[in-house]
Amino acid sequence: MSIHIGAEPGQIASTVLLPGDPLRAKYFAESLLSDVICFNRVRGMLGFTGSYSGKRISVMGSGMGIPTLSIYVNELIREYGVTTLMRVGTCGALQPDLKVGDLILAMSSSTDSNVNRLRFGGRDYAPTADFELLLRGYEVARARGVAVRVGQIFAADSFYNDDADWWKVFAEYGVLAVEMESAGLYTLAAKYGARALSILTVSDSVVTGAEASSEERERGYSLMAEIAMEIA
Ligand code: HPA
């Protein structure tokens, strides 16, 4: 057991998929894995391990935001020896040509979180995906005929922002989408020599205000999880 994860040693696979929502982790485990065990119920942040095409894979909720995800990622790597972490989550599009349901592989992540400024003494750090996971993710998505974009995203500390236009300068500089976790995930993976990738589905557009229907969300989620499990 670690402070926030109730697993016994050996119950967590070396590869962990991290949806934000723990019930989504349960759904992935039940629909895509066989021989499933539940290794965590602490704080309702459900985690499961099972088998996908003969590969042992875990899936666990990360919660929302860099602080929450960072607690779990620290413990998964340091206490359970996890070496590959793939976030499978949603994002808001910042570019007009990105539509609800589109898939994004986050090559790097800007952020307004202060965690890295504190960590690096006020200097900026560029949190970056693992190249091999990124390449494999791209290949698997393309082989399935999926419209996939690779590029920079933004990890925001606030979902609700007083300044409605805050994102425009990032859009101008090519940032594809906003979510709330990837800069934290990539930084911790780098610190501990682990591999990380965020696979994201556009759930809404900050540009147009469009939002995914529950059917579109469902489809996007399953696709991301399958791609992540294939490249694991
Ligand atoms: N902002 C932040 N995080 C998100 C969004 C958003 O618009 N959509 C999905 N995750």
Side-chain angles (χ1 to χ4, degrees), residues 169-219:
V169 67
F170 288 94
E172 194 184 319
Y173 281 72
V175 174
L176 298 177
V178 55
E179 45 90 274
M180 302 184 73
E181 293 83 15
S182 292
L185 173 64
Y186 289 1
T187 303
L188 287 172
K191 170 170 174 157
Y192 293 111
R195 310 189 304 160
L197 175 67
S198 289
I199 305 174
L200 306 169
T201 299
V202 175
S203 61
D204 55 276
S205 171
V206 180
V207 185
T208 65
E211 282 181 17
S213 63
S214 54
E215 216 173 79
E216 282 168 322
R217 272 175 194 266
E218 211 61 52
R219 214 179 311 128

mmCIF file of all heavy atoms in Angstrom, residues 169-219:
data_model
loop_
_atom_site.group_PDB
_atom_site.id
_atom_site.type_symbol
_atom_site.label_atom_id
_atom_site.label_comp_id
_atom_site.label_asym_id
_atom_site.label_seq_id
_atom_site.Cartn_x
_atom_site.Cartn_y
_atom_site.Cartn_z
ATOM 1 N N VAL A 169 -4.025 33.644 -27.365
ATOM 2 C CA VAL A 169 -2.603 33.785 -27.702
ATOM 3 C C VAL A 169 -1.956 32.411 -27.862
ATOM 4 O O VAL A 169 -1.070 32.219 -28.705
ATOM 5 C CB VAL A 169 -1.875 34.676 -26.666
ATOM 6 C CG1 VAL A 169 -1.800 34.014 -25.296
ATOM 7 C CG2 VAL A 169 -0.465 35.024 -27.148
ATOM 8 N N PHE A 170 -2.412 31.432 -27.105
ATOM 9 C CA PHE A 170 -1.874 30.075 -27.267
ATOM 10 C C PHE A 170 -2.316 29.465 -28.594
ATOM 11 O O PHE A 170 -1.541 28.803 -29.281
ATOM 12 C CB PHE A 170 -2.281 29.187 -26.073
ATOM 13 C CG PHE A 170 -1.531 29.557 -24.833
ATOM 14 C CD1 PHE A 170 -2.070 30.453 -23.920
ATOM 15 C CD2 PHE A 170 -0.261 29.049 -24.598
ATOM 16 C CE1 PHE A 170 -1.364 30.840 -22.793
ATOM 17 C CE2 PHE A 170 0.448 29.426 -23.471
ATOM 18 C CZ PHE A 170 -0.105 30.318 -22.566
ATOM 19 N N ALA A 171 -3.574 29.720 -28.952
ATOM 20 C CA ALA A 171 -4.072 29.238 -30.246
ATOM 21 C C ALA A 171 -3.244 29.847 -31.381
ATOM 22 O O ALA A 171 -2.853 29.166 -32.332
ATOM 23 C CB ALA A 171 -5.542 29.594 -30.397
ATOM 24 N N GLU A 172 -2.936 31.138 -31.228
ATOM 25 C CA GLU A 172 -2.148 31.840 -32.238
ATOM 26 C C GLU A 172 -0.760 31.211 -32.410
ATOM 27 O O GLU A 172 -0.201 31.197 -33.495
ATOM 28 C CB GLU A 172 -2.018 33.297 -31.782
ATOM 29 C CG GLU A 172 -1.542 34.273 -32.808
ATOM 30 C CD GLU A 172 -1.371 35.653 -32.161
ATOM 31 O OE1 GLU A 172 -2.233 36.057 -31.346
ATOM 32 O OE2 GLU A 172 -0.372 36.302 -32.457
ATOM 33 N N TYR A 173 -0.224 30.671 -31.319
ATOM 34 C CA TYR A 173 1.094 30.050 -31.354
ATOM 35 C C TYR A 173 1.014 28.537 -31.582
ATOM 36 O O TYR A 173 1.949 27.807 -31.296
ATOM 37 C CB TYR A 173 1.869 30.368 -30.071
ATOM 38 C CG TYR A 173 2.470 31.771 -30.086
ATOM 39 C CD1 TYR A 173 1.661 32.892 -29.955
ATOM 40 C CD2 TYR A 173 3.836 31.958 -30.276
ATOM 41 C CE1 TYR A 173 2.201 34.170 -29.990
ATOM 42 C CE2 TYR A 173 4.383 33.231 -30.305
ATOM 43 C CZ TYR A 173 3.558 34.335 -30.164
ATOM 44 O OH TYR A 173 4.101 35.597 -30.204
ATOM 45 N N GLY A 174 -0.123 28.066 -32.083
ATOM 46 C CA GLY A 174 -0.207 26.686 -32.570
ATOM 47 C C GLY A 174 -0.665 25.637 -31.571
ATOM 48 O O GLY A 174 -0.678 24.446 -31.893
ATOM 49 N N VAL A 175 -1.027 26.052 -30.351
ATOM 50 C CA VAL A 175 -1.483 25.061 -29.365
ATOM 51 C C VAL A 175 -2.849 24.519 -29.807
ATOM 52 O O VAL A 175 -3.742 25.272 -30.173
ATOM 53 C CB VAL A 175 -1.546 25.684 -27.958
ATOM 54 C CG1 VAL A 175 -2.153 24.718 -26.957
ATOM 55 C CG2 VAL A 175 -0.139 26.084 -27.519
ATOM 56 N N LEU A 176 -2.980 23.190 -29.791
ATOM 57 C CA LEU A 176 -4.166 22.553 -30.365
ATOM 58 C C LEU A 176 -5.371 22.555 -29.427
ATOM 59 O O LEU A 176 -6.502 22.727 -29.873
ATOM 60 C CB LEU A 176 -3.849 21.091 -30.736
ATOM 61 C CG LEU A 176 -2.759 20.859 -31.780
ATOM 62 C CD1 LEU A 176 -2.532 19.354 -31.972
ATOM 63 C CD2 LEU A 176 -3.149 21.505 -33.105
ATOM 64 N N ALA A 177 -5.110 22.318 -28.136
ATOM 65 C CA ALA A 177 -6.251 22.047 -27.250
ATOM 66 C C ALA A 177 -5.871 22.293 -25.800
ATOM 67 O O ALA A 177 -4.695 22.391 -25.458
ATOM 68 C CB ALA A 177 -6.706 20.602 -27.432
ATOM 69 N N VAL A 178 -6.899 22.356 -24.949
ATOM 70 C CA VAL A 178 -6.682 22.557 -23.514
ATOM 71 C C VAL A 178 -7.251 21.374 -22.733
ATOM 72 O O VAL A 178 -8.333 20.887 -23.038
ATOM 73 C CB VAL A 178 -7.307 23.890 -23.041
ATOM 74 C CG1 VAL A 178 -8.781 23.984 -23.388
ATOM 75 C CG2 VAL A 178 -7.113 24.098 -21.543
ATOM 76 N N GLU A 179 -6.474 20.905 -21.763
ATOM 77 C CA GLU A 179 -6.967 19.964 -20.755
ATOM 78 C C GLU A 179 -6.313 20.362 -19.437
ATOM 79 O O GLU A 179 -5.955 21.529 -19.282
ATOM 80 C CB GLU A 179 -6.740 18.502 -21.179
ATOM 81 C CG GLU A 179 -5.399 18.187 -21.754
ATOM 82 C CD GLU A 179 -4.375 17.775 -20.724
ATOM 83 O OE1 GLU A 179 -3.743 18.691 -20.146
ATOM 84 O OE2 GLU A 179 -4.128 16.575 -20.542
ATOM 85 N N MET A 180 -6.149 19.438 -18.480
ATOM 86 C CA MET A 180 -5.703 19.901 -17.162
ATOM 87 C C MET A 180 -4.637 19.016 -16.508
ATOM 88 O O MET A 180 -4.394 19.155 -15.313
ATOM 89 C CB MET A 180 -6.915 20.040 -16.224
ATOM 90 C CG MET A 180 -7.969 20.993 -16.755
ATOM 91 S SD MET A 180 -9.350 21.253 -15.635
ATOM 92 C CE MET A 180 -8.582 22.277 -14.397
ATOM 93 N N GLU A 181 -3.991 18.133 -17.254
ATOM 94 C CA GLU A 181 -3.105 17.166 -16.606
ATOM 95 C C GLU A 181 -1.752 16.914 -17.264
ATOM 96 O O GLU A 181 -0.780 16.583 -16.572
ATOM 97 C CB GLU A 181 -3.817 15.799 -16.511
ATOM 98 C CG GLU A 181 -5.012 15.751 -15.580
ATOM 99 C CD GLU A 181 -6.303 16.267 -16.218
ATOM 100 O OE1 GLU A 181 -6.333 16.395 -17.466
ATOM 101 O OE2 GLU A 181 -7.257 16.578 -15.496
ATOM 102 N N SER A 182 -1.653 17.037 -18.582
ATOM 103 C CA SER A 182 -0.501 16.442 -19.283
ATOM 104 C C SER A 182 0.857 17.028 -18.882
ATOM 105 O O SER A 182 1.849 16.296 -18.845
ATOM 106 C CB SER A 182 -0.693 16.549 -20.797
ATOM 107 O OG SER A 182 -1.769 15.717 -21.178
ATOM 108 N N ALA A 183 0.930 18.324 -18.590
ATOM 109 C CA ALA A 183 2.237 18.892 -18.221
ATOM 110 C C ALA A 183 2.772 18.228 -16.955
ATOM 111 O O ALA A 183 3.978 17.986 -16.819
ATOM 112 C CB ALA A 183 2.114 20.410 -18.019
ATOM 113 N N GLY A 184 1.861 17.902 -16.019
ATOM 114 C CA GLY A 184 2.265 17.222 -14.789
ATOM 115 C C GLY A 184 2.708 15.795 -15.060
ATOM 116 O O GLY A 184 3.732 15.335 -14.539
ATOM 117 N N LEU A 185 1.957 15.110 -15.886
ATOM 118 C CA LEU A 185 2.297 13.716 -16.228
ATOM 119 C C LEU A 185 3.656 13.631 -16.910
ATOM 120 O O LEU A 185 4.517 12.830 -16.529
ATOM 121 C CB LEU A 185 1.209 13.138 -17.144
ATOM 122 C CG LEU A 185 1.494 11.763 -17.736
ATOM 123 C CD1 LEU A 185 1.590 10.701 -16.642
ATOM 124 C CD2 LEU A 185 0.427 11.372 -18.752
ATOM 125 N N TYR A 186 3.881 14.469 -17.919
ATOM 126 C CA TYR A 186 5.137 14.401 -18.687
ATOM 127 C C TYR A 186 6.337 14.786 -17.825
ATOM 128 O O TYR A 186 7.421 14.222 -17.970
ATOM 129 C CB TYR A 186 5.061 15.327 -19.902
ATOM 130 C CG TYR A 186 4.137 14.863 -21.008
ATOM 131 C CD1 TYR A 186 3.406 13.676 -20.902
ATOM 132 C CD2 TYR A 186 3.984 15.612 -22.166
ATOM 133 C CE1 TYR A 186 2.552 13.267 -21.923
ATOM 134 C CE2 TYR A 186 3.136 15.202 -23.195
ATOM 135 C CZ TYR A 186 2.419 14.033 -23.060
ATOM 136 O OH TYR A 186 1.587 13.637 -24.079
ATOM 137 N N THR A 187 6.150 15.747 -16.938
ATOM 138 C CA THR A 187 7.265 16.185 -16.094
ATOM 139 C C THR A 187 7.677 15.083 -15.121
ATOM 140 O O THR A 187 8.872 14.792 -14.960
ATOM 141 C CB THR A 187 6.880 17.458 -15.313
ATOM 142 O OG1 THR A 187 6.499 18.476 -16.245
ATOM 143 C CG2 THR A 187 8.048 17.968 -14.478
ATOM 144 N N LEU A 188 6.708 14.457 -14.488
ATOM 145 C CA LEU A 188 7.043 13.395 -13.529
ATOM 146 C C LEU A 188 7.634 12.176 -14.237
ATOM 147 O O LEU A 188 8.560 11.543 -13.728
ATOM 148 C CB LEU A 188 5.804 13.001 -12.715
ATOM 149 C CG LEU A 188 5.393 14.033 -11.671
ATOM 150 C CD1 LEU A 188 4.055 13.659 -11.054
ATOM 151 C CD2 LEU A 188 6.461 14.177 -10.585
ATOM 152 N N ALA A 189 7.099 11.845 -15.402
ATOM 153 C CA ALA A 189 7.658 10.713 -16.156
ATOM 154 C C ALA A 189 9.131 10.992 -16.472
ATOM 155 O O ALA A 189 9.992 10.121 -16.308
ATOM 156 C CB ALA A 189 6.863 10.486 -17.441
ATOM 157 N N ALA A 190 9.416 12.217 -16.896
ATOM 158 C CA ALA A 190 10.807 12.580 -17.214
ATOM 159 C C ALA A 190 11.686 12.473 -15.972
ATOM 160 O O ALA A 190 12.795 11.929 -16.015
ATOM 161 C CB ALA A 190 10.859 13.994 -17.782
ATOM 162 N N LYS A 191 11.191 12.963 -14.861
ATOM 163 C CA LYS A 191 11.977 12.944 -13.617
ATOM 164 C C LYS A 191 12.392 11.526 -13.244
ATOM 165 O O LYS A 191 13.513 11.291 -12.802
ATOM 166 C CB LYS A 191 11.160 13.570 -12.482
ATOM 167 C CG LYS A 191 11.808 13.373 -11.123
ATOM 168 C CD LYS A 191 11.159 14.170 -10.031
ATOM 169 C CE LYS A 191 11.803 13.750 -8.718
ATOM 170 N NZ LYS A 191 11.711 14.713 -7.677
ATOM 171 N N TYR A 192 11.469 10.577 -13.433
ATOM 172 C CA TYR A 192 11.735 9.213 -12.969
ATOM 173 C C TYR A 192 12.140 8.261 -14.106
ATOM 174 O O TYR A 192 12.187 7.046 -13.914
ATOM 175 C CB TYR A 192 10.512 8.667 -12.234
ATOM 176 C CG TYR A 192 10.269 9.408 -10.934
ATOM 177 C CD1 TYR A 192 9.175 10.242 -10.775
ATOM 178 C CD2 TYR A 192 11.167 9.296 -9.879
ATOM 179 C CE1 TYR A 192 8.963 10.935 -9.592
ATOM 180 C CE2 TYR A 192 10.969 9.986 -8.696
ATOM 181 C CZ TYR A 192 9.873 10.796 -8.557
ATOM 182 O OH TYR A 192 9.677 11.481 -7.384
ATOM 183 N N GLY A 193 12.391 8.791 -15.296
ATOM 184 C CA GLY A 193 12.827 7.934 -16.405
ATOM 185 C C GLY A 193 11.732 7.004 -16.892
ATOM 186 O O GLY A 193 12.003 5.930 -17.443
ATOM 187 N N ALA A 194 10.467 7.391 -16.696
ATOM 188 C CA ALA A 194 9.344 6.603 -17.212
ATOM 189 C C ALA A 194 8.917 7.175 -18.561
ATOM 190 O O ALA A 194 9.397 8.226 -18.980
ATOM 191 C CB ALA A 194 8.187 6.639 -16.212
ATOM 192 N N ARG A 195 8.016 6.459 -19.227
ATOM 193 C CA ARG A 195 7.529 6.915 -20.528
ATOM 194 C C ARG A 195 6.083 7.371 -20.380
ATOM 195 O O ARG A 195 5.298 6.731 -19.685
ATOM 196 C CB ARG A 195 7.563 5.762 -21.532
ATOM 197 C CG ARG A 195 8.892 5.030 -21.574
ATOM 198 C CD ARG A 195 8.938 4.055 -22.725
ATOM 199 N NE ARG A 195 7.853 3.083 -22.704
ATOM 200 C CZ ARG A 195 7.468 2.394 -23.776
ATOM 201 N NH1 ARG A 195 8.062 2.577 -24.938
ATOM 202 N NH2 ARG A 195 6.498 1.509 -23.684
ATOM 203 N N ALA A 196 5.741 8.469 -21.049
ATOM 204 C CA ALA A 196 4.364 8.962 -20.922
ATOM 205 C C ALA A 196 3.845 9.501 -22.246
ATOM 206 O O ALA A 196 4.609 10.012 -23.075
ATOM 207 C CB ALA A 196 4.283 10.052 -19.850
ATOM 208 N N LEU A 197 2.533 9.346 -22.422
ATOM 209 C CA LEU A 197 1.846 9.917 -23.583
ATOM 210 C C LEU A 197 0.417 10.254 -23.183
ATOM 211 O O LEU A 197 -0.212 9.484 -22.460
ATOM 212 C CB LEU A 197 1.818 8.896 -24.736
ATOM 213 C CG LEU A 197 1.018 9.327 -25.978
ATOM 214 C CD1 LEU A 197 1.691 10.513 -26.675
ATOM 215 C CD2 LEU A 197 0.884 8.166 -26.959
ATOM 216 N N SER A 198 -0.079 11.385 -23.672
ATOM 217 C CA SER A 198 -1.501 11.706 -23.507
ATOM 218 C C SER A 198 -2.199 11.562 -24.848
ATOM 219 O O SER A 198 -1.801 12.181 -25.839
ATOM 220 C CB SER A 198 -1.684 13.139 -22.992
ATOM 221 O OG SER A 198 -1.281 13.227 -21.647
ATOM 222 N N ILE A 199 -3.223 10.712 -24.838
ATOM 223 C CA ILE A 199 -4.082 10.515 -26.011
ATOM 224 C C ILE A 199 -5.414 11.175 -25.657
ATOM 225 O O ILE A 199 -6.035 10.820 -24.665
ATOM 226 C CB ILE A 199 -4.281 9.012 -26.293
ATOM 227 C CG1 ILE A 199 -2.934 8.311 -26.438
ATOM 228 C CG2 ILE A 199 -5.146 8.806 -27.528
ATOM 229 C CD1 ILE A 199 -3.027 6.794 -26.565
ATOM 230 N N LEU A 200 -5.798 12.157 -26.471
ATOM 231 C CA LEU A 200 -6.947 12.982 -26.096
ATOM 232 C C LEU A 200 -8.014 12.990 -27.183
ATOM 233 O O LEU A 200 -7.686 12.981 -28.378
ATOM 234 C CB LEU A 200 -6.492 14.425 -25.842
ATOM 235 C CG LEU A 200 -5.349 14.601 -24.829
ATOM 236 C CD1 LEU A 200 -4.825 16.034 -24.863
ATOM 237 C CD2 LEU A 200 -5.798 14.226 -23.425
ATOM 238 N N THR A 201 -9.262 13.019 -26.760
ATOM 239 C CA THR A 201 -10.370 13.206 -27.687
ATOM 240 C C THR A 201 -10.964 14.590 -27.447
ATOM 241 O O THR A 201 -11.159 14.987 -26.295
ATOM 242 C CB THR A 201 -11.473 12.152 -27.438
ATOM 243 O OG1 THR A 201 -10.928 10.869 -27.643
ATOM 244 C CG2 THR A 201 -12.635 12.346 -28.387
ATOM 245 N N VAL A 202 -11.259 15.284 -28.521
ATOM 246 C CA VAL A 202 -11.888 16.599 -28.397
ATOM 247 C C VAL A 202 -13.333 16.407 -27.922
ATOM 248 O O VAL A 202 -14.148 15.810 -28.626
ATOM 249 C CB VAL A 202 -11.856 17.353 -29.744
ATOM 250 C CG1 VAL A 202 -12.630 18.668 -29.637
ATOM 251 C CG2 VAL A 202 -10.425 17.612 -30.185
ATOM 252 N N SER A 203 -13.620 16.908 -26.706
ATOM 253 C CA SER A 203 -14.985 16.778 -26.161
ATOM 254 C C SER A 203 -15.778 18.062 -26.361
ATOM 255 O O SER A 203 -16.999 18.067 -26.243
ATOM 256 C CB SER A 203 -14.938 16.432 -24.678
ATOM 257 O OG SER A 203 -14.278 17.465 -23.968
ATOM 258 N N ASP A 204 -15.054 19.158 -26.611
ATOM 259 C CA ASP A 204 -15.732 20.435 -26.832
ATOM 260 C C ASP A 204 -14.784 21.368 -27.573
ATOM 261 O O ASP A 204 -13.582 21.121 -27.621
ATOM 262 C CB ASP A 204 -16.168 21.063 -25.504
ATOM 263 C CG ASP A 204 -15.001 21.219 -24.536
ATOM 264 O OD1 ASP A 204 -14.679 20.247 -23.834
ATOM 265 O OD2 ASP A 204 -14.397 22.298 -24.512
ATOM 266 N N SER A 205 -15.345 22.397 -28.145
ATOM 267 C CA SER A 205 -14.513 23.379 -28.825
ATOM 268 C C SER A 205 -14.621 24.716 -28.113
ATOM 269 O O SER A 205 -15.719 25.278 -27.993
ATOM 270 C CB SER A 205 -14.940 23.537 -30.284
ATOM 271 O OG SER A 205 -14.239 24.640 -30.846
ATOM 272 N N VAL A 206 -13.481 25.205 -27.643
ATOM 273 C CA VAL A 206 -13.450 26.516 -27.001
ATOM 274 C C VAL A 206 -13.703 27.598 -28.069
ATOM 275 O O VAL A 206 -14.229 28.664 -27.777
ATOM 276 C CB VAL A 206 -12.086 26.729 -26.290
ATOM 277 C CG1 VAL A 206 -12.019 28.088 -25.617
ATOM 278 C CG2 VAL A 206 -11.844 25.618 -25.256
ATOM 279 N N VAL A 207 -13.385 27.285 -29.322
ATOM 280 C CA VAL A 207 -13.547 28.239 -30.427
ATOM 281 C C VAL A 207 -15.017 28.403 -30.793
ATOM 282 O O VAL A 207 -15.515 29.530 -30.899
ATOM 283 C CB VAL A 207 -12.756 27.771 -31.674
ATOM 284 C CG1 VAL A 207 -12.828 28.814 -32.781
ATOM 285 C CG2 VAL A 207 -11.318 27.452 -31.319
ATOM 286 N N THR A 208 -15.720 27.282 -30.974
ATOM 287 C CA THR A 208 -17.103 27.360 -31.493
ATOM 288 C C THR A 208 -18.166 27.104 -30.424
ATOM 289 O O THR A 208 -19.344 27.357 -30.654
ATOM 290 C CB THR A 208 -17.324 26.308 -32.601
ATOM 291 O OG1 THR A 208 -17.218 24.991 -31.996
ATOM 292 C CG2 THR A 208 -16.296 26.439 -33.708
ATOM 293 N N GLY A 209 -17.764 26.560 -29.277
ATOM 294 C CA GLY A 209 -18.743 26.231 -28.239
ATOM 295 C C GLY A 209 -19.410 24.875 -28.441
ATOM 296 O O GLY A 209 -20.254 24.464 -27.645
ATOM 297 N N ALA A 210 -19.027 24.154 -29.528
ATOM 298 C CA ALA A 210 -19.626 22.829 -29.779
ATOM 299 C C ALA A 210 -19.267 21.859 -28.663
ATOM 300 O O ALA A 210 -18.185 21.955 -28.076
ATOM 301 C CB ALA A 210 -19.120 22.287 -31.119
ATOM 302 N N GLU A 211 -20.169 20.940 -28.371
ATOM 303 C CA GLU A 211 -19.919 19.937 -27.330
ATOM 304 C C GLU A 211 -20.271 18.558 -27.845
ATOM 305 O O GLU A 211 -21.207 18.400 -28.633
ATOM 306 C CB GLU A 211 -20.785 20.224 -26.094
ATOM 307 C CG GLU A 211 -20.236 21.337 -25.241
ATOM 308 C CD GLU A 211 -21.074 21.596 -24.005
ATOM 309 O OE1 GLU A 211 -21.882 20.737 -23.641
ATOM 310 O OE2 GLU A 211 -20.914 22.683 -23.426
ATOM 311 N N ALA A 212 -19.518 17.554 -27.362
ATOM 312 C CA ALA A 212 -19.774 16.176 -27.798
ATOM 313 C C ALA A 212 -21.071 15.661 -27.201
ATOM 314 O O ALA A 212 -21.411 15.974 -26.061
ATOM 315 C CB ALA A 212 -18.623 15.282 -27.351
ATOM 316 N N SER A 213 -21.782 14.867 -27.977
ATOM 317 C CA SER A 213 -22.930 14.149 -27.425
ATOM 318 C C SER A 213 -22.371 12.989 -26.600
ATOM 319 O O SER A 213 -21.192 12.635 -26.714
ATOM 320 C CB SER A 213 -23.787 13.590 -28.561
ATOM 321 O OG SER A 213 -23.035 12.658 -29.307
ATOM 322 N N SER A 214 -23.204 12.377 -25.772
ATOM 323 C CA SER A 214 -22.704 11.272 -24.946
ATOM 324 C C SER A 214 -22.242 10.112 -25.835
ATOM 325 O O SER A 214 -21.297 9.398 -25.504
ATOM 326 C CB SER A 214 -23.763 10.825 -23.949
ATOM 327 O OG SER A 214 -24.944 10.527 -24.626
ATOM 328 N N GLU A 215 -22.899 9.955 -27.000
ATOM 329 C CA GLU A 215 -22.489 8.897 -27.940
ATOM 330 C C GLU A 215 -21.079 9.166 -28.492
ATOM 331 O O GLU A 215 -20.250 8.267 -28.565
ATOM 332 C CB GLU A 215 -23.480 8.894 -29.102
ATOM 333 C CG GLU A 215 -23.802 7.533 -29.666
ATOM 334 C CD GLU A 215 -24.919 7.673 -30.677
ATOM 335 O OE1 GLU A 215 -24.607 8.089 -31.810
ATOM 336 O OE2 GLU A 215 -26.090 7.412 -30.315
ATOM 337 N N GLU A 216 -20.844 10.435 -28.863
ATOM 338 C CA GLU A 216 -19.519 10.799 -29.397
ATOM 339 C C GLU A 216 -18.435 10.628 -28.335
ATOM 340 O O GLU A 216 -17.327 10.171 -28.627
ATOM 341 C CB GLU A 216 -19.532 12.247 -29.893
ATOM 342 C CG GLU A 216 -20.203 12.417 -31.236
ATOM 343 C CD GLU A 216 -20.471 13.895 -31.558
ATOM 344 O OE1 GLU A 216 -20.819 14.677 -30.657
ATOM 345 O OE2 GLU A 216 -20.330 14.230 -32.738
ATOM 346 N N ARG A 217 -18.751 10.983 -27.103
ATOM 347 C CA ARG A 217 -17.790 10.804 -26.000
ATOM 348 C C ARG A 217 -17.433 9.340 -25.862
ATOM 349 O O ARG A 217 -16.272 8.964 -25.742
ATOM 350 C CB ARG A 217 -18.409 11.258 -24.678
ATOM 351 C CG ARG A 217 -18.223 12.715 -24.398
ATOM 352 C CD ARG A 217 -18.968 13.081 -23.132
ATOM 353 N NE ARG A 217 -19.068 14.520 -23.027
ATOM 354 C CZ ARG A 217 -18.210 15.278 -22.346
ATOM 355 N NH1 ARG A 217 -17.232 14.737 -21.684
ATOM 356 N NH2 ARG A 217 -18.350 16.582 -22.322
ATOM 357 N N GLU A 218 -18.463 8.504 -25.863
ATOM 358 C CA GLU A 218 -18.304 7.050 -25.690
ATOM 359 C C GLU A 218 -17.385 6.486 -26.772
ATOM 360 O O GLU A 218 -16.453 5.750 -26.493
ATOM 361 C CB GLU A 218 -19.693 6.406 -25.802
ATOM 362 C CG GLU A 218 -19.872 5.162 -24.980
ATOM 363 C CD GLU A 218 -19.685 5.454 -23.497
ATOM 364 O OE1 GLU A 218 -20.319 6.381 -22.963
ATOM 365 O OE2 GLU A 218 -18.868 4.752 -22.901
ATOM 366 N N ARG A 219 -17.665 6.885 -28.011
ATOM 367 C CA ARG A 219 -16.893 6.374 -29.142
ATOM 368 C C ARG A 219 -15.435 6.794 -29.009
ATOM 369 O O ARG A 219 -14.514 6.014 -29.174
ATOM 370 C CB ARG A 219 -17.501 6.889 -30.454
ATOM 371 C CG ARG A 219 -17.387 5.889 -31.580
ATOM 372 C CD ARG A 219 -18.011 6.402 -32.879
ATOM 373 N NE ARG A 219 -19.345 6.946 -32.741
ATOM 374 C CZ ARG A 219 -19.717 8.161 -33.181
ATOM 375 N NH1 ARG A 219 -18.842 8.966 -33.749
ATOM 376 N NH2 ARG A 219 -20.955 8.586 -33.035
#
